[in-house]
Amino acid sequence: MKKSYILIAVLLAFMTNAAACGVSEPKDSHDQEDTYREVTLSLRHTQIKETSKTRLRLLEDVVAKTMAENKGVTFKMEGIEEIVNRDTKLKQEMAAGNPPDIFEVFGGADLKLYVKANRMLDLTPILEELDLMDKFQSLDEFKIDGRVYGVPYGGYSEGLFYNKKIFSSLNLGIPKTWDELMETAEKIKKAGYVPFGLAAKDAWMTGMMWNTIMERYVGIDAFNKLVTGETKWTDPQFVKGFEAYAEIVNKDYFTRGALGLLTPAQGSQLLRGQAAMVFTGTWDAVQFTSQDAGGLQGQLGFFSFPEIPGGLGDQHSINASYSNGFGFSSTLSKDQMEIVKKFIANFFNEEVQKRALKEDKLLPSMKLSDLSGIDPLMNEVLTVMNNASSSWPAFDAIVQPVVTAEIGVRLQELLGGLSTPEEVAANIQAAQEKANAAQVKSAGLGTPPAWESK
């Protein structure tokens, strides 16, 4: 696949020093209502899907509360599709220096580019003033050099959601090893069900189960070392990970025609009783616990991917992270930063976080003291997470965006039988080496980062 690498020059001379500005002195915290002459904040969100209505309503409630408490303040909300925002629109805005005032942002690799270009507001003083620094489960993916540039509004975990009715009817237990998982998949297939539901027209969907398989083989440190060149995708242990994924493909354990199915079809395969298992993230728990589940309400469970003997990774770890959050523009005025502080206080508290967990099945990014009234499936998820020996972020929070895109395309080729595991590894490694070289060149010249597009 041909790619063009477009270096977008970021003209530092036109950048403001707003990121270094201090937060204005707070008004009396006991005031019920503050008045501003006129302050407007643009807010970009990605909660536009039917399944995101609850999350959007929660955000709208927080915005309404903040405006009601601060007369003269207006939030202009804009909804946009998540992939378009992350891969295209936000990158273009960051390159041009005109991102929204408040926007959803992905921690890790994306954030590092934006911070390097001085586009992100340093939230450290605000979080310290609000006494929130120690209230989050983890701020790691939004920290750079000890400073915080974003706040996660929730977390996720990835694993296998399964149909308890099918497992019971076939006398299946929860597989603990790779061989047991393959044996379970074979029994499910022979019984006429799809072992692993998959919808892979959107390339990123191919990477979820593969990511955990690969981590079991190589360990998260090996992923981190890809960006420094200390490890390579073509190393034997990485190739074993691609081969294991290919084994599932070759045994016909994925949904036939998965490459032609859009993302929503994956969860529906589990809900229709077509697939016995689906490897996905907890963002799908909303539909798995709603009326959409029909007769399967209370009959869906969750377990962590089993261990792979001989693998170098932590065999009882889980892909769980707090990487989806809000970022803020470094060019905010003092009044805008004051409202941002109030928005953060209204959004990031135990009441809102528990509401998100109960109503939206969103894993809380903050430490909660009360978990009563939680849905049984979410309790299973939280139990699995608590029992995991460690957690780690997805690969796309580690490798460069252009490498993430390459992985998606090459895994689609593997799924379609167009490439071998060795060919896939070689192609991804070639993209990795180009991305690493560009990164070194950028650091060496002291120039702003480049945003790459396909």
Side-chain angles (χ1 to χ4, degrees):
M1 182 183 75
K2 294 184 178 180
K3 288 187 173 65
S4 60
Y5 298 86
I6 304 174
L7 177 62
I8 303 176
V10 182
L11 303 178
L12 296 178
F14 291 97
M15 296 173 65
T16 72
N17 293 322
C21 290
V23 178
S24 59
E25 288 297 317
K27 294 178 172 57
D28 187 347
S29 60
H30 297 289
D31 287 348
Q32 293 299 308
E33 182 180 297
D34 289 332
T35 301
Y36 292 81
R37 290 183 180 178
E38 198 169 309
V39 180
T40 301
L41 286 158
S42 57
L43 192 161
R44 166 86 52 74
H45 66 85
T46 64
Q47 311 310 321
I48 63 172
K49 299 177 183 176
E50 184 70 22
T51 54
S52 300
K53 281 186 174 181
T54 301
R55 193 170 304 179
L56 176 59
R57 184 171 62 249
L58 189 149
L59 175 60
E60 290 172 336
D61 288 350
V62 170
V63 166
K65 182 177 189 292
T66 307
M67 288 194 295
E69 293 172 346
N70 301 278
K71 297 302 181 184
V73 172
T74 301
F75 283 78
K76 292 186 176 180
M77 296 179 64
E78 174 198 14
I80 189 173
E81 199 277 329
E82 182 177 7
I83 302 301
V84 172
N85 179 61
R86 181 182 179 187
D87 292 348
T88 307
K89 193 167 180 64
L90 190 58
K91 282 184 168 62
Q92 293 171 347
E93 292 166 333
M94 287 291 182
N98 60 352
D101 299 320
I102 305 173
F103 47 89
E104 289 188 30
V105 67
F106 198 73
D110 289 7
L111 188 76
K112 290 177 182 177
L113 293 176
Y114 305 152
V115 171
K116 187 173 182 181
N118 199 26
R119 304 305 193 202
M120 304 293 297
L121 179 67
D122 181 358
L123 298 174
T124 311
I126 292 178
L127 296 181
E128 289 175 344
E129 182 178 341
L130 295 174
D131 193 27
L132 290 176
M133 287 292 286
D134 298 324
K135 302 294 176 63
F136 288 90
Q137 299 280 3
S138 174
L139 290 171
D140 288 350
E141 292 188 58
F142 291 94
K143 275 187 179 179
I144 297 177
D145 297 329
R147 311 297 290 181
V148 182
Y149 294 93
V151 273
Y153 56 71
Y156 76 87
S157 180
E158 292 183 4
L160 285 154
F161 289 87
Y162 72 103
N163 185 321
K164 292 182 177 182
K165 287 185 175 181
I166 293 177
F167 268 58
S168 177
S169 67
L170 299 178
N171 295 315
L172 299 174
I174 302 300
K176 302 298 183 183
T177 67
W178 172 264
D179 286 344
E180 288 181 9
L181 182 65
M182 293 299 98
E183 290 170 5
T184 298
E186 184 63 25
K187 291 176 181 177
I188 291 170
K189 179 184 173 182
K190 287 181 177 178
Y193 301 102
V194 175
F196 304 108
L198 180 63
K201 188 171 184 178
D202 296 319
W204 70 272
M205 296 290 286
T206 62
M208 286 190 290
M209 183 189 288
W210 164 84
N211 195 175
T212 295
I213 291 172
M214 191 64 82
E215 191 281 335
R216 292 286 189 264
Y217 270 103
V218 305
I220 196 61
D221 286 345
F223 271 101
N224 291 323
K225 291 177 180 177
L226 287 165
V227 298
T228 63
E230 297 172 80
T231 57
K232 298 181 184 297
W233 292 102
T234 49
D235 291 344
Q237 203 72 1
F238 274 99
V239 174
K240 287 181 181 179
F242 288 115
E243 289 173 342
Y245 192 78
E247 180 181 346
I248 299 175
V249 174
N250 295 335
K251 288 183 175 180
D252 203 23
Y253 290 161
F254 284 130
T255 306
R256 289 187 179 181
L259 286 170
L261 299 176
L262 291 170
T263 300
Q266 181 156 303
S268 66
Q269 294 172 51
L270 185 66
L271 296 179
R272 293 197 309 267
Q274 175 187 358
M277 295 178 283
V278 166
F279 191 101
T280 188
T282 49
W283 52 82
D284 273 332
V286 174
Q287 59 177 320
F288 296 160
T289 57
S290 70
Q291 292 182 350
D292 293 342
L296 287 179
Q297 274 191 310
Q299 294 297 319
L300 298 177
F302 178 83
F303 64 91
S304 184
F305 200 87
E307 63 183 72
I308 298 179
L312 303 180
D314 182 348
Q315 300 302 310
H316 302 285
S317 65
I318 194 168
N319 180 355
S321 185
Y322 302 90
S323 56
N324 289 73
F326 287 111
F328 306 84
S329 172
S330 63
T331 61
L332 296 179
S333 68
K334 291 181 68 176
D335 277 350
Q336 285 178 317
M337 283 194 283
E338 187 70 20
I339 301 306
V340 159
K341 181 172 62 178
K342 297 181 180 191
F343 170 81
I344 290 174
N346 284 338
F347 198 105
F348 295 95
N349 55 66
E350 182 152 347
E351 178 185 353
V352 172
Q353 286 275 300
K354 185 172 181 181
R355 180 184 165 193
L357 175 58
K358 292 180 70 173
E359 297 178 16
D360 191 38
K361 308 305 179 288
L362 180 65
L363 297 182
S365 63
M366 302 182 75
K367 301 167 186 175
L368 301 185
S369 59
D370 177 22
L371 291 174
S372 60
I374 304 304
D375 182 88
L377 178 58
M378 295 310 297
N379 262 328
E380 280 195 46
V381 171
L382 292 171
T383 298
V384 170
M385 292 179 67
N386 289 335
N387 289 335
S389 51
S390 65
S391 63
W392 41 271
F395 69 92
D396 58 354
I398 299 173
V399 301
Q400 300 90 334
V402 68
V403 179
T404 293
E406 184 75 11
I407 290 169
V409 171
R410 297 306 175 183
L411 288 179
Q412 284 180 321
E413 291 182 355
L414 191 61
L415 187 62
L418 300 177
S419 296
T420 66
E422 292 78 11
E423 290 170 338
V424 169
N427 282 311
I428 296 175
Q429 180 57 30
Q432 186 72 63
E433 289 174 3
K434 288 181 181 179
N436 289 356
Q439 187 170 284
V440 170
K441 183 178 180 181
S442 173
L445 293 176
T447 56
W451 282 279
E452 299 151 311
S453 62
K454 295 184 225 179

